Amino acid sequence: MNANSLSISQENPYSVTSSSKQINVQIAQEEVYSFFVEIVKKLSPDDVLREFKGLFIDGLDSEESDYIPGIYSIFLDDNEQELCNTLKRCCYIIVNNWKTNRKDKYIQELVNLFVNENLKVKDNNDPVVKICKTWLENFVNSKDYQELKLFADKYDESSKGHWANRYSSYLLIDQSINKNNPIEQQEAARKLSKQIKEKFKFELAMYIARSQSTVSSTARYKNPSVLGDHALRLIKAIVLKRGVFSHENIAHIFLKQTQNQTLEQFKINLEKYLFLSVGKQESVETWKQQFINVLSSWKKDYNQEVITKEFFLRTCNRVIDYLTIENGKEPSSLFILLISQGHALTLVIILLKIILICNNSRRHLETRIAHLIRFYENYPEDECKGVINFMEIFNITFAIYAENVEYNLIKMEEEQSSNPQLNLDGYRVFSQMKVDKPK
C-alpha cells in the first residue's frame, strides 16, 4: 500500500487534462483521509512518514523542478485553502493516532518534513512548482503550523525556549473547542491539554510534599512553577481559605441566595460576592468601581427579567471578558490595570470565584487565557513579568482547586508571638486524591 495507490494523478502537471481539474475536491479529500486513517493503524511510523512525504513533499523537494506531486493538481484551480485544510487534517489523523499509542517522538519528524531548504521557492522553478511551494511556505508560516508544533514539544523541557511554551495547555484548549479545526485536531488537543495539566498537578503535589520534608531537605525536587521559594508560601495562602469561609462554601451560599433574582439584582450581588474579602486599598477601590460601572451598564434593557440559566452563563462569561481580554484580541483595561498594580492574586481569586459558581464558564475562561498568551507572546519575557506572574498564580490556584485533588493546611506548632498576623511558616500543606462519596 502506498500513496500511488490513490486514484490521484501523479503525472507531470502539464499533462493534467481539463476534465481531471474538475475532480470533486471533497471526494478526493475523503479518499486521502481514508487512506491515512487506514495506514496509520497498520504501518510503522517510519512507513507512514514515507507515505505522507510521498504524497505531499516528494517532487517539490526534487532537483527535477518541473515535477510536482499529483495531489496538487486537485487544488491548482485557485484552491490554496482547501489544500491547507487537507494537509492539516492528514497531519492530525496521524498525530491523534500516535498520541493515543504513545508514539509521540515521531510527531517531531512529521513536523520536520516541512523544514526543508529545497521546499523554498527558487527563481528557476517551474511556475506551477512555484505556486505549490508558495502554498507550502504559507502553511509553514501560518497559525496552523504553529499549532501543529505544539504536539511535538517536549513538555519535560517546557521551561526552555519561548516563555509562552510553559502555558501550552491553554493554547491546546483553544484548539480543542474551535469548530473550524478538524475533529482529529480537536480530540488530540483535548487529550494533550489534559495530560499537561495532570502532569503539573502531580509535580505540584510532589513539590509540596518534598519541600516540607526534613528528611528530603537536601534531595532534589522539581518546582513546576517559576516562582521559586515564594511558591510554597503562595500555596499556603491559597489553601488557607477553607472551612466555613472557604471559597466553595461562599459560592454555594451565593447560588442559593440569588435564585429567581432579576438580572439587576443578580449583577449587584455578583459584584458583592466577587469582591468579598478583597482589600480596601485605594488602588483596589478604583478598579472595583470601574468593574461595577461596566457590569451595571451591561444588558440594562433586561434588568427587570428573572435571570435564566442561559443569562447566568452569559453574565459570567461577560465578567470573564471584562477581566481578561474583552474584544478577543487585546487585554482589557481592567486586566492591564490589575497586573500593572501587582494585583495578580486578587484577579486570579476573582476568576476562581466565577468558576466556582459557574463551572460551565471554565472553557470560556481558558480560551480567554489562551488569547492573552497569544497577545503577549509577541513581547520578550522581560516585558511580560507581570503577565507571567499572573499565569503562574493562575496555574497553581486552579491546580489546587482541581476536581480530583484536595489540599489541607495543618497547623504544626503553637503561635509563640502575640502578633495577630498569621504565621504561615507554622503550617504545612498536605495533598491527597479526593475519594468519591457513595451515593
Coordinates of all heavy atoms in Angstrom, one line a residue, residues 187-246:
E187 N -9.7 16.6 19.1 CA -9.5 15.4 20.0 C -8.1 15.4 20.5 O -7.9 15.2 21.7 CB -9.9 14.1 19.3 CG -9.9 12.9 20.3 CD -10.3 11.6 19.6 OE1 -10.8 11.7 18.4 OE2 -10.1 10.6 20.2
A188 N -7.1 15.5 19.6 CA -5.7 15.4 20.0 C -5.4 16.6 21.0 O -4.7 16.4 22.0 CB -4.8 15.5 18.8
A189 N -5.9 17.8 20.7 CA -5.6 18.9 21.6 C -6.2 18.7 23.0 O -5.6 19.1 24.0 CB -6.2 20.2 20.9
R190 N -7.4 18.2 23.0 CA -8.1 17.9 24.3 C -7.3 16.9 25.1 O -7.1 17.2 26.3 CB -9.5 17.4 24.0 CG -10.4 17.3 25.2 CD -11.9 17.3 24.8 NE -12.1 16.3 23.7 CZ -12.5 16.6 22.5 NH1 -12.7 17.9 22.2 NH2 -12.7 15.7 21.6
K191 N -6.8 15.9 24.5 CA -6.1 14.9 25.2 C -4.8 15.4 25.8 O -4.4 15.2 26.9 CB -5.8 13.7 24.3 CG -7.0 12.8 24.0 CD -6.6 11.7 23.0 CE -7.8 10.9 22.6 NZ -7.4 9.8 21.6
L192 N -4.0 16.1 24.9 CA -2.7 16.6 25.3 C -2.8 17.7 26.4 O -2.0 17.8 27.3 CB -2.0 17.2 24.1 CG -0.5 17.6 24.4 CD1 0.3 16.5 25.0 CD2 0.1 18.1 23.1
S193 N -3.8 18.6 26.3 CA -4.0 19.6 27.3 C -4.3 19.0 28.7 O -3.7 19.4 29.7 CB -5.2 20.5 26.9 OG -5.5 21.4 27.9
K194 N -5.1 18.0 28.7 CA -5.4 17.3 29.9 C -4.1 16.6 30.5 O -3.9 16.7 31.7 CB -6.5 16.2 29.7 CG -6.9 15.5 31.0 CD -8.0 14.4 30.8 CE -8.3 13.7 32.0 NZ -9.4 12.7 31.8
Q195 N -3.3 16.0 29.6 CA -2.1 15.3 30.0 C -1.1 16.3 30.7 O -0.5 16.1 31.7 CB -1.4 14.7 28.8 CG -0.1 14.0 29.0 CD 0.5 13.6 27.7 OE1 -0.2 13.2 26.8 NE2 1.8 13.6 27.7
I196 N -1.0 17.5 30.1 CA -0.1 18.5 30.6 C -0.6 19.0 31.9 O 0.2 19.2 32.9 CB 0.0 19.7 29.6 CG1 0.7 19.3 28.3 CG2 0.8 20.9 30.2 CD1 0.6 20.3 27.2
K197 N -1.9 19.2 32.1 CA -2.4 19.7 33.3 C -2.3 18.7 34.5 O -1.9 19.0 35.6 CB -3.9 20.0 33.2 CG -4.2 21.3 32.4 CD -5.7 21.5 32.4 CE -6.1 22.9 31.8 NZ -7.5 23.1 31.8
E198 N -2.5 17.4 34.1 CA -2.3 16.4 35.1 C -0.8 16.3 35.6 O -0.6 16.0 36.7 CB -2.8 15.0 34.6 CG -4.3 14.9 34.4 CD -5.1 15.0 35.6 OE1 -4.6 14.6 36.7 OE2 -6.2 15.7 35.6
K199 N 0.1 16.5 34.6 CA 1.5 16.4 34.9 C 1.8 17.6 35.9 O 2.6 17.4 36.9 CB 2.3 16.5 33.6 CG 3.8 16.5 33.8 CD 4.5 16.5 32.5 CE 6.0 16.4 32.6 NZ 6.6 17.6 33.1
F200 N 1.3 18.8 35.6 CA 1.5 19.9 36.5 C 1.0 19.7 37.9 O 1.7 19.9 38.9 CB 0.9 21.2 35.9 CG 1.2 22.4 36.7 CD1 2.4 23.1 36.6 CD2 0.2 22.8 37.7 CE1 2.6 24.2 37.4 CE2 0.5 24.0 38.5 CZ 1.6 24.7 38.3
K201 N -0.2 19.1 38.0 CA -0.8 18.8 39.3 C 0.0 17.8 40.1 O 0.2 18.0 41.3 CB -2.3 18.3 39.1 CG -3.3 19.4 38.8 CD -4.7 18.9 38.9 CE -5.1 18.0 37.8 NZ -6.5 17.6 37.8
F202 N 0.5 16.8 39.4 CA 1.3 15.8 40.1 C 2.6 16.4 40.6 O 3.0 16.2 41.7 CB 1.6 14.6 39.1 CG 2.6 13.6 39.7 CD1 2.1 12.7 40.6 CD2 3.9 13.6 39.3 CE1 3.0 11.8 41.1 CE2 4.8 12.7 39.8 CZ 4.4 11.8 40.7
E203 N 3.3 17.2 39.7 CA 4.5 17.8 40.1 C 4.4 18.8 41.2 O 5.2 18.9 42.1 CB 5.2 18.5 38.9 CG 5.7 17.5 37.9 CD 6.4 18.1 36.7 OE1 6.3 19.4 36.6 OE2 7.0 17.4 35.9
L204 N 3.2 19.5 41.2 CA 3.0 20.5 42.3 C 2.8 19.7 43.6 O 3.3 20.2 44.7 CB 1.7 21.3 42.0 CG 1.3 22.4 43.0 CD1 2.4 23.5 42.9 CD2 -0.1 22.9 42.7
A205 N 2.1 18.6 43.6 CA 1.8 17.9 44.9 C 3.2 17.3 45.4 O 3.5 17.3 46.6 CB 0.9 16.7 44.6
M206 N 4.0 16.8 44.5 CA 5.3 16.3 44.9 C 6.2 17.4 45.4 O 7.0 17.2 46.4 CB 6.0 15.6 43.7 CG 5.3 14.3 43.2 SD 5.1 13.0 44.5 CE 6.8 12.6 44.7
Y207 N 6.2 18.5 44.8 CA 7.0 19.6 45.2 C 6.6 20.0 46.7 O 7.4 20.3 47.5 CB 6.8 20.8 44.3 CG 7.3 22.1 44.9 CD1 8.6 22.4 45.1 CD2 6.3 23.1 45.2 CE1 9.0 23.6 45.6 CE2 6.7 24.3 45.8 CZ 8.1 24.6 46.0 OH 8.5 25.8 46.5
I208 N 5.3 20.1 46.9 CA 4.8 20.5 48.2 C 5.3 19.5 49.3 O 5.8 19.9 50.3 CB 3.2 20.6 48.2 CG1 2.8 21.8 47.4 CG2 2.7 20.7 49.6 CD1 1.3 21.8 47.1
A209 N 5.1 18.2 49.0 CA 5.5 17.2 49.9 C 7.0 17.2 50.2 O 7.4 17.1 51.4 CB 5.0 15.8 49.4
R210 N 7.8 17.2 49.2 CA 9.2 17.1 49.4 C 9.8 18.4 50.0 O 10.8 18.3 50.7 CB 9.9 16.7 48.1 CG 9.5 15.3 47.6 CD 10.1 15.0 46.3 NE 9.7 13.7 45.8 CZ 10.0 13.2 44.6 NH1 10.7 13.9 43.8 NH2 9.6 12.0 44.3
S211 N 9.3 19.5 49.6 CA 9.9 20.8 50.1 C 9.6 21.0 51.6 O 10.3 21.8 52.2 CB 9.3 22.0 49.3 OG 7.9 22.1 49.5
Q212 N 8.6 20.3 52.1 CA 8.3 20.4 53.5 C 8.9 19.3 54.4 O 8.7 19.3 55.6 CB 6.8 20.5 53.7 CG 6.1 21.7 53.1 CD 4.6 21.6 53.2 OE1 4.0 22.4 53.9 NE2 4.0 20.6 52.5
S213 N 9.5 18.3 53.7 CA 10.0 17.2 54.4 C 11.5 17.4 54.9 O 12.3 17.8 54.1 CB 10.0 16.0 53.5 OG 10.7 14.9 54.1
T214 N 11.7 17.2 56.2 CA 13.1 17.4 56.7 C 14.0 16.4 56.2 O 15.2 16.7 56.0 CB 13.0 17.4 58.3 OG1 12.4 16.2 58.7 CG2 12.2 18.6 58.8
V215 N 13.5 15.2 56.0 CA 14.4 14.1 55.6 C 14.9 14.3 54.1 O 15.9 13.8 53.7 CB 13.7 12.7 55.7 CG1 13.4 12.4 57.2 CG2 12.5 12.7 54.9
S216 N 14.1 15.0 53.4 CA 14.5 15.2 52.0 C 14.9 16.6 51.7 O 14.9 17.1 50.6 CB 13.3 14.8 51.1 OG 12.2 15.7 51.3
S217 N 15.3 17.3 52.7 CA 15.7 18.8 52.6 C 16.8 18.9 51.6 O 17.0 20.0 51.0 CB 16.0 19.4 53.9 OG 17.1 18.7 54.5
T218 N 17.7 18.0 51.5 CA 18.8 18.1 50.6 C 18.6 17.4 49.3 O 19.4 17.4 48.4 CB 20.1 17.5 51.3 OG1 19.8 16.1 51.6 CG2 20.5 18.2 52.6
A219 N 17.4 16.7 49.2 CA 17.1 16.0 48.0 C 16.7 17.0 46.9 O 16.2 18.0 47.2 CB 16.0 14.9 48.3
R220 N 16.8 16.6 45.7 CA 16.4 17.4 44.6 C 14.9 17.2 44.3 O 14.4 16.0 44.3 CB 17.2 17.1 43.3 CG 18.7 17.3 43.5 CD 19.5 16.9 42.3 NE 19.1 17.7 41.1 CZ 19.5 17.5 39.9 NH1 20.4 16.5 39.6 NH2 19.2 18.2 38.9
Y221 N 14.2 18.2 44.2 CA 12.8 18.1 43.8 C 12.5 19.2 42.8 O 13.1 20.3 42.8 CB 11.9 18.2 45.1 CG 12.1 19.4 45.9 CD1 11.6 20.7 45.6 CD2 12.9 19.3 47.1 CE1 11.8 21.8 46.4 CE2 13.2 20.4 47.9 CZ 12.6 21.7 47.5 OH 12.9 22.8 48.3
K222 N 11.4 19.0 42.0 CA 11.1 19.9 40.9 C 10.0 20.8 41.3 O 8.9 20.4 41.7 CB 10.7 19.1 39.7 CG 10.4 19.9 38.5 CD 10.0 19.0 37.3 CE 9.6 19.9 36.1 NZ 10.6 20.7 35.6
N223 N 10.3 22.1 41.2 CA 9.2 23.1 41.4 C 8.6 23.4 40.0 O 9.3 23.9 39.2 CB 9.9 24.4 42.0 CG 8.8 25.5 42.3 OD1 7.7 25.4 41.8 ND2 9.2 26.5 43.0
P224 N 7.3 23.0 39.8 CA 6.8 23.2 38.5 C 6.5 24.6 38.1 O 6.1 24.9 37.0 CB 5.5 22.3 38.6 CG 5.1 22.4 40.0 CD 6.4 22.4 40.8
S225 N 6.6 25.5 39.0 CA 6.4 26.9 38.7 C 7.7 27.6 38.6 O 8.8 27.1 38.9 CB 5.6 27.6 39.8 OG 6.4 27.9 41.0
V226 N 7.7 28.9 38.2 CA 8.9 29.7 38.1 C 8.9 30.7 39.2 O 9.7 31.7 39.2 CB 9.0 30.4 36.7 CG1 9.2 29.4 35.6 CG2 7.9 31.4 36.5
L227 N 8.1 30.5 40.3 CA 8.1 31.5 41.4 C 9.1 31.2 42.5 O 9.2 32.0 43.4 CB 6.7 31.4 42.0 CG 5.5 31.8 41.1 CD1 4.2 31.7 41.8 CD2 5.7 33.2 40.5
G228 N 9.9 30.2 42.3 CA 10.9 29.9 43.3 C 10.4 29.5 44.7 O 9.3 29.0 44.8
D229 N 11.1 29.9 45.7 CA 10.6 29.5 47.1 C 9.3 30.2 47.5 O 8.7 29.8 48.4 CB 11.7 29.9 48.1 CG 13.0 29.0 47.9 OD1 12.8 27.9 47.3 OD2 14.1 29.4 48.3
H230 N 9.0 31.3 46.8 CA 7.8 32.0 47.1 C 6.5 31.2 46.8 O 5.5 31.4 47.3 CB 7.7 33.3 46.2 CG 6.4 34.1 46.4 ND1 6.0 34.6 47.6 CD2 5.5 34.4 45.4 CE1 4.8 35.2 47.4 NE2 4.5 35.1 46.1
A231 N 6.7 30.2 45.9 CA 5.5 29.3 45.5 C 4.9 28.6 46.7 O 3.7 28.6 46.8 CB 6.0 28.3 44.5
L232 N 5.7 28.1 47.7 CA 5.1 27.4 48.8 C 4.3 28.3 49.7 O 3.2 27.9 50.1 CB 6.2 26.7 49.6 CG 5.8 25.8 50.7 CD1 4.9 24.7 50.2 CD2 7.0 25.2 51.5
R233 N 4.8 29.5 49.9 CA 4.0 30.5 50.7 C 2.7 30.9 50.0 O 1.7 31.0 50.7 CB 4.9 31.7 51.0 CG 4.2 32.6 52.0 CD 5.2 33.7 52.5 NE 4.6 34.5 53.5 CZ 4.6 34.2 54.8 NH1 5.1 33.1 55.2 NH2 4.0 35.0 55.7
L234 N 2.8 31.0 48.7 CA 1.6 31.3 47.9 C 0.6 30.2 48.1 O -0.6 30.5 48.3 CB 2.0 31.6 46.5 CG 0.8 31.7 45.5 CD1 0.0 33.0 45.8 CD2 1.3 31.7 44.0
I235 N 1.0 29.0 48.0 CA 0.2 27.8 48.1 C -0.5 27.8 49.4 O -1.7 27.6 49.5 CB 1.0 26.5 47.8 CG1 1.4 26.4 46.4 CG2 0.1 25.3 48.2 CD1 2.5 25.4 46.1
K236 N 0.2 28.1 50.5 CA -0.4 28.1 51.8 C -1.4 29.2 51.9 O -2.5 29.0 52.5 CB 0.7 28.3 52.9 CG 1.7 27.2 53.1 CD 2.7 27.5 54.1 CE 3.7 26.3 54.3 NZ 4.7 26.6 55.4
A237 N -1.2 30.3 51.3 CA -2.1 31.4 51.4 C -3.4 31.1 50.6 O -4.5 31.4 51.1 CB -1.5 32.7 50.8
I238 N -3.3 30.4 49.5 CA -4.4 30.0 48.8 C -5.3 28.9 49.5 O -6.5 29.0 49.6 CB -4.0 29.4 47.4 CG1 -3.4 30.6 46.6 CG2 -5.2 28.8 46.6 CD1 -2.7 30.1 45.3
V239 N -4.6 27.9 50.1 CA -5.2 26.8 50.8 C -5.9 27.3 52.1 O -6.8 26.7 52.6 CB -4.2 25.7 51.0 CG1 -4.9 24.6 51.9 CG2 -3.7 25.1 49.7
L240 N -5.4 28.4 52.6 CA -5.9 28.9 53.9 C -7.4 29.1 53.9 O -8.1 28.9 54.9 CB -5.2 30.2 54.2 CG -5.5 30.9 55.6 CD1 -5.0 29.9 56.7 CD2 -4.8 32.2 55.7
K241 N -8.0 29.5 52.7 CA -9.4 29.8 52.7 C -10.2 28.5 52.7 O -10.7 28.0 51.6 CB -9.7 30.6 51.4 CG -9.4 32.1 51.6 CD -10.5 32.7 52.5 CE -10.2 34.2 52.5 NZ -11.2 34.9 53.4
R242 N -10.4 27.9 53.8 CA -11.1 26.6 53.9 C -12.1 26.7 55.0 O -12.3 27.8 55.6 CB -10.1 25.5 54.2 CG -9.1 25.1 53.1 CD -9.8 24.6 51.9 NE -8.9 24.3 50.8 CZ -9.3 23.8 49.6 NH1 -10.5 23.6 49.4 NH2 -8.4 23.6 48.6
G243 N -12.8 25.6 55.2 CA -13.8 25.6 56.3 C -15.1 26.4 56.0 O -15.5 26.5 54.8
V244 N -15.7 27.0 57.0 CA -16.9 27.8 56.8 C -16.8 28.9 55.8 O -17.7 29.2 55.0 CB -17.4 28.3 58.2 CG1 -18.7 29.1 58.0 CG2 -17.6 27.2 59.2
F245 N -15.6 29.5 55.8 CA -15.4 30.7 54.9 C -14.6 30.3 53.7 O -13.9 31.2 53.1 CB -14.6 31.8 55.7 CG -15.4 32.3 56.9 CD1 -15.0 31.9 58.2 CD2 -16.5 33.1 56.7 CE1 -15.8 32.4 59.3 CE2 -17.3 33.5 57.8 CZ -16.9 33.2 59.1
S246 N -14.6 29.1 53.3 CA -14.0 28.7 52.1 C -14.6 29.3 50.8 O -15.8 29.6 50.9 CB -14.0 27.1 51.9 OG -15.3 26.7 51.7

